[in-house]
């Protein structure tokens, strides 16, 4: 094969420079939107420079510089091609390893040029590095696929084929120069077929690969344009559907330089607005102007002219007279835009405001009434504020975040804050209340949301100086504002002082009574038993009455002492794991005699095999005694009291049900209060201190439980309490 070396090198250099320049020119067109194309142009320019240094400047530059810089520039362009393909296909290539191949090639070329002059090894190194980069590029293209296709696009396969062909050829060339190359003269152009074909292959491959990449970019651009057109059509269809649901019409109104007017675009809503179709007014809008009320026509035209001259928005209310609907009111709004042909195009919306216009007339009649009502509202507000500030109870309003909106002077003085702290938004409810109070407050709000009511509760508020203030809080929900709440705050400091004095007095009296009372009770018991001799019947009757009343008095003293211990937190709780079923059976046996005396029967009707809880057995027996005796007292003769134990949502629930007269509605709110007793005008004498249920409630709550009741008058009453279930492995 007889090729002119200079001619082939020159063709390669010029061709590569032309490809680079062509690519830069293409990037200035529509394909410039694809960033990888510009990077490909720079990589091609780098390849052209490499060919120039390796070929045209060979003999001008030192041979080592020509070989090393020229070959490395060409290899670097192939590495950049690989990185660009990875970016283009969405499969980024590691940022280091392609350049490591170039670096390794440079080191091997330097070695085989300086220390072991081997032309075959040098050519093999160049061929092997280029083969690796090209075959990797082909692999990326063949496995890239596309979001809309299951296989790579045609341009990807074409470019991958070129890379594969050249990479395979270079791999064979590597093998040839490693194992069969012997004659140094065969490396010269024109003397070796494989060498000449290598240079031609490099040139043709560079052209075809670049052509293939341009095809890939063009194919992607076309696909993106189609997708954009489809999206545009989809958006247009969506806008058309949405516009059809709008009450009114969205339109474009154009006024031409010759005075003609038209509606180039209008939604179907124009059929309701003017009773014309979009086609009727697309070329001429005169029919629309003919339907404007004669008294408003000039005003509408004047407003359009003013908008056209000032290029300000057109906004106009006017009336139309329509063949089918008759007199209607319209509101038009549009923004003008001056076009290149001198015409003006408005983009806007016209809506039907007939109802609003009619309401406006009625509104005029009601304005005076509203003004009077507003004045009355201001007066009432002033009265309400005066009432709030004159109240003995603190009143405060806040939102869900705790920010206080309003508070009366009583609350501010109670906490020691000036009104400026409230008006400046410096007060937050959760900073003014204790942690326990905040939890109770949250629970009370939840009850308000579910039941529209919540029970007051005691807690502590924090004054400005940090001192705690005992209070009773009651919450209310504002009508129509679920995020707002009102709290009523009662200062309990004086009450707590009174309670303390009362507690100390009760404790003193109870302790002073217990010793003599024990002696009196014992003596009366001995007399009643005949220890002092046989008493006359009348005297014995008096002793029995006295003994019975001493027992009642002793029970009262014990209840008062328990209540005093509970109030002062002195009552110790010995919590331990116990079987509630076994304890309930013991309670029934212990209280059976009391029920028999009242001709009532205790029955355990339902229970699991075991029901373990953490509780104080003595205090729980006291709870059972209070509930069972209370049920027996209010049961009818020959009746029965049913005891049930159930497991409900990890809670052990105990129910004591009687079928007596029930609890009166007027008494239910204070049934767990101190000394609370319902009307005892029964044929049977009902004995009690009125403290049993109060003590029972406190004991259950201290053991982590809950107690309540359900009652139907003259039918039944069910007192129930629940305690958290405790799983017992040894059960």
């Amino acid at each position: 094969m007889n090729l002119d070396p200079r001619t082939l090198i020159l063709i390669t250099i010029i061709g590569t420079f032309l490809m680079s320049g062509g690519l830069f020119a293409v990037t200035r067109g529509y394909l410039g939107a694809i960033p990888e194309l510009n990077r490909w142009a720079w990589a091609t320019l780098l390849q052209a420079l490499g060919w120039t240094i390796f070929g045209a400047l060979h003999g001008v530059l030192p041979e080592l510089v020509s070989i090393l810089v020229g070959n490395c520039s060409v290899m670097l362009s192939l590495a950049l091609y690989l990185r660009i393909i990875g970016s283009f296909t969405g499969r980024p290539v590691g940022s280091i390893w392609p350049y490591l191949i170039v670096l390794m090639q440079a080191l091997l070329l330097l070695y085989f040029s300086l220390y072991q002059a081997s032309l075959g090894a040098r050519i093999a190194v160049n061929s092997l590095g280029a083969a690796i980069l090209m075959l990797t590029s082909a692999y990326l293209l063949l496995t890239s696929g596309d979001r809309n296709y299951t296989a790579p696009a045609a341009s990807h396969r074409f470019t991958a084929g070129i890379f594969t062909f050249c990479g395979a050829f270079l791999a064979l060339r590597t093998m040839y120069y490693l194992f069969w190359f012997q004659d140094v003269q065969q490396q010269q152009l024109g003397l070796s077929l494989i060498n000449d074909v290598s240079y031609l292959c490099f040139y043709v491959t560079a052209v075809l690969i670049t052509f293939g990449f341009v095809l890939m970019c063009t194919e992607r651009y076309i696909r993106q344009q189609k997708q954009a057109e489809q999206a545009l059509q989809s958006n247009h269809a969506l806008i058309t559907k949405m516009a059809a649901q709008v009450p009114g019409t969205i339109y474009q109104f154009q006024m031409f330089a010759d005075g003609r007017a038209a509606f180039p675009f209008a939604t179907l809503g124009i059929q309701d607005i003017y009773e014309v179709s979009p086609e009727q007014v697309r070329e001429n809008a005169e029919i629309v102007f003919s339907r404007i009320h004669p008294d408003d026509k000039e005003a509408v035209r004047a407003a359009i002219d003013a908008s056209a001259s000032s290029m300000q928005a057109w906004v106009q209310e006017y009336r139309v007279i329509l063949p089918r609907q008759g007199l209607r009111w319209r509101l038009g709004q549009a923004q003008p835009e001056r076009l290149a042909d001198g015409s003006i195009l408005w983009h806007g919306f016209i809506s039907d405001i007939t109802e609003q216009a009619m309401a406006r007339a009625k509104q005029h009649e009601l304005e005076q009434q509203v003004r009077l009502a507003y004045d009355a509202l201001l007066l009432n507000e002033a009265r309400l504020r005066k009432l709030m500030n004159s109240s003995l109870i603190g009143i405060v309003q806040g939102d869900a975040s705790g920010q206080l909106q309003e508070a009366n002077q009583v609350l501010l003085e109670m906490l020691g804050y000036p009104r400026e702290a409230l008006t400046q938004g410096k007060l937050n409810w959760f900073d003014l209340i204790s942690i326990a109070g905040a939890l109770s407050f949250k629970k009370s709000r939840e009850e308000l949301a579910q039941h529209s009511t919540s029970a007051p509760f005691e807690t502590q508020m924090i004054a400005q100086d940090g001192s705690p203030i005992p209070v009773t809080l009651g919450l209310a929900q504002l009508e129509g504002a679920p995020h707002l709440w009102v709290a009523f705050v009662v200062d309990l400091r004086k009450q707590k002082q009174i309670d303390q004095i009362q507690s100390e007095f009760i404790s003193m009296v109870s302790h002073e009574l217990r010793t003599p009372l024990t002696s009196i009770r014992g003596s009366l018991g001995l007399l009643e038993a005949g220890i002092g001799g046989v008493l006359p019947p009348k005297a014995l009757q008096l002793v029995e009455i006295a003994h019975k009343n001493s027992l009642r008095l002793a029970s009262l003293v014990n209840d008062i002492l328990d209540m005093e211990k509970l109030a002062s937190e002195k009552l110790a709780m010995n919590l331990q794991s116990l079987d509630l079923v076994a304890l309930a059976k013991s309670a029934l046996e212990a209280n059976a005699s009391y029920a028999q005396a009242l001709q009532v029967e205790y029955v355990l009707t339902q229970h699991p095999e075991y029901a373990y809880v953490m509780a104080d057995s003595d205090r729980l027996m006291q709870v059972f005694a209070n509930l069972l005796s209370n049920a027996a007292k209010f049961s009818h003769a020959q009746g029965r009291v049913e005891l049930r134990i159930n497991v409900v949502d990890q809670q052990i629930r105990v129910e004591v049900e009687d079928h007596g007269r029930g609890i009166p509605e007027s008494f239910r709110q204070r049934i767990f209060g101190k000394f609370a007793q319902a009307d005892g005008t029964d044929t049977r004498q009902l004995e009690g201190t009125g403290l049993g249920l109060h003590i029972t409630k406190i004991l259950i709550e201290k053991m982590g439980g809950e107690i309540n009741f359900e009652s139907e008058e003259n039918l039944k009453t069910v007192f129930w309490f629940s305690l958290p279930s405790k799983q017992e492995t040894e059960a």
Side-chain angles (χ1 to χ4, degrees), residues 640-709:
R640 75 175 192 169
V641 174
E642 298 178 5
L643 181 65
R644 294 186 294 271
I645 303 176
N646 297 303
V647 180
V648 181
D649 295 333
Q650 303 302 317
Q651 297 281 321
I652 307 299
R653 177 171 169 135
V654 179
E655 297 179 353
V656 179
E657 179 178 336
D658 68 76
H659 299 277
R661 66 188 184 186
I663 301 172
E665 186 70 33
S666 59
F667 181 64
R668 296 182 183 183
Q669 294 296 326
R670 52 192 179 90
I671 193 168
F672 289 111
K674 298 178 183 178
F675 302 102
Q677 284 186 308
D679 182 14
T681 57
D682 198 291
T683 56
R684 304 163 64 211
Q685 295 299 318
L686 304 178
E687 302 174 355
T689 64
L691 293 174
L693 289 179
H694 177 72
I695 293 173
T696 297
K697 184 175 188 298
I698 296 177
L699 289 176
I700 288 296
E701 290 177 349
K702 281 186 173 293
M703 287 185 281
E706 181 183 3
I707 186 170
N708 214 325
F709 69 94

Side-chain angles (χ1 to χ4, degrees), residues 448-569:
L448 272 178
Q450 295 176 0
H451 310 295
S452 300
T453 182
S454 65
F457 60 92
E458 290 189 14
T459 185
Q460 287 186 340
M461 297 193 70
I462 311 300
Q464 186 180 23
D465 59 5
S467 60
I469 301 175
V471 296
T472 293
L473 279 181
L475 288 184
Q477 191 77 48
L478 288 180
E479 188 70 26
H483 63 289
L484 296 179
W485 49 266
V486 175
F488 301 93
V489 185
V490 179
D491 191 342
L492 296 181
R493 282 178 289 189
K494 292 184 179 179
Q495 181 64 40
K496 291 296 182 181
Q497 292 175 359
I498 295 173
D499 289 347
Q500 180 66 24
I501 295 173
Q502 180 182 0
S503 176
E504 293 174 357
F505 173 75
I506 291 174
S507 177
M508 179 190 69
V509 171
S510 300
H511 283 88
E512 292 297 328
L513 282 175
R514 174 175 281 187
T515 301
L517 184 60
T518 302
S519 177
I520 293 170
R521 186 182 62 185
S523 298
L524 290 173
L526 292 174
L527 289 175
E528 185 180 6
I531 298 300
V534 178
L535 297 176
K538 289 186 177 180
L540 180 60
Q541 183 179 4
L542 292 175
V543 169
E544 289 175 350
I545 292 173
H547 187 218
K548 185 176 182 180
N549 287 333
S550 70
L551 291 175
R552 291 181 60 192
L553 187 57
S555 176
L556 174 61
V557 170
N558 289 332
D559 284 348
I560 290 175
L561 286 175
D562 283 346
M563 186 180 68
E564 188 272 333
K565 289 178 182 178
L566 290 170
S568 60
E569 302 292 336

Side-chain angles (χ1 to χ4, degrees), residues 102-342:
V102 178
L103 179 61
M104 185 63 68
Q105 179 208 24
L107 294 175
L108 290 174
L109 286 176
L110 189 63
Y111 173 77
F112 287 119
S113 297
L114 293 178
Y115 301 104
Q116 185 177 344
S118 173
L119 179 61
R122 198 169 64 203
I123 295 174
V125 166
N126 285 334
S127 301
L128 180 60
I132 292 173
L133 294 174
M134 286 189 168
L135 290 175
T136 304
S137 299
Y139 174 76
L140 287 179
L141 288 170
L142 289 174
T143 59
S144 63
D146 188 87
R147 293 181 180 178
N148 300 320
Y149 300 92
T150 57
S155 59
H156 287 56
R157 295 196 298 272
F158 171 79
T159 310
I162 302 302
F163 270 116
T164 302
F165 168 76
C166 189
F169 178 79
L170 290 174
L172 292 174
R173 186 172 185 247
T174 302
M175 301 295 292
Y176 173 76
Y177 278 99
L178 282 178
F179 299 107
W180 293 287
F181 174 73
Q182 299 293 333
D183 189 357
V184 176
Q185 295 300 322
Q186 290 183 11
Q187 196 272 338
Q188 301 298 323
L189 288 172
L191 298 179
S192 172
L193 177 61
I194 190 170
N195 197 48
D196 295 345
V197 171
S198 298
Y199 281 100
L200 285 174
C201 182
F202 267 117
Y203 176 68
V204 174
T205 300
V207 173
L208 292 179
I209 286 175
T210 299
F211 175 70
F213 188 73
V214 172
L215 284 180
M216 290 165 55
C217 294
T218 304
E219 191 173 52
R220 171 170 291 187
Y221 177 80
I222 293 172
R223 187 164 62 252
Q224 289 175 347
Q225 288 298 107
K226 288 182 179 179
Q227 292 173 351
E229 290 176 2
Q230 291 173 356
L232 184 62
Q233 292 173 359
S234 177
N235 290 337
H236 179 74
L238 178 61
I239 291 173
T240 302
K241 290 179 181 179
M242 293 176 62
Q245 305 303 317
V246 175
T249 182
I250 300 172
Y251 71 95
Q252 288 180 320
F253 174 74
Q254 188 170 7
M255 181 180 289
F256 297 93
D258 58 3
R260 182 171 57 89
F263 286 85
F265 170 79
T267 60
L268 292 176
I270 199 170
Q271 295 175 347
D272 293 327
I273 295 297
Y274 290 123
E275 293 188 1
V276 296
S277 66
E279 292 77 14
Q280 285 178 278
V281 294
R282 187 165 294 154
E283 299 296 334
N284 196 318
E286 193 57 36
I287 188 173
V288 168
F289 285 97
S290 68
R291 295 186 175 178
I292 298 177
H293 194 285
D295 295 341
D296 296 342
K297 189 174 297 185
E298 290 303 321
V300 172
R301 289 189 181 274
I304 293 174
D305 292 339
S307 175
S309 60
S310 65
M311 297 304 292
Q312 297 296 318
W314 173 74
V315 181
Q316 186 74 19
E317 289 187 13
Y318 56 97
R319 293 166 291 176
V320 294
I321 301 176
L322 304 177
R324 180 172 54 84
Q325 302 177 53
L327 180 65
R328 308 293 291 176
W329 280 87
R330 300 290 182 252
L331 172 62
Q333 307 172 67
Q335 186 68 37
E337 174 189 3
R338 193 178 300 278
L339 302 182
D341 61 358

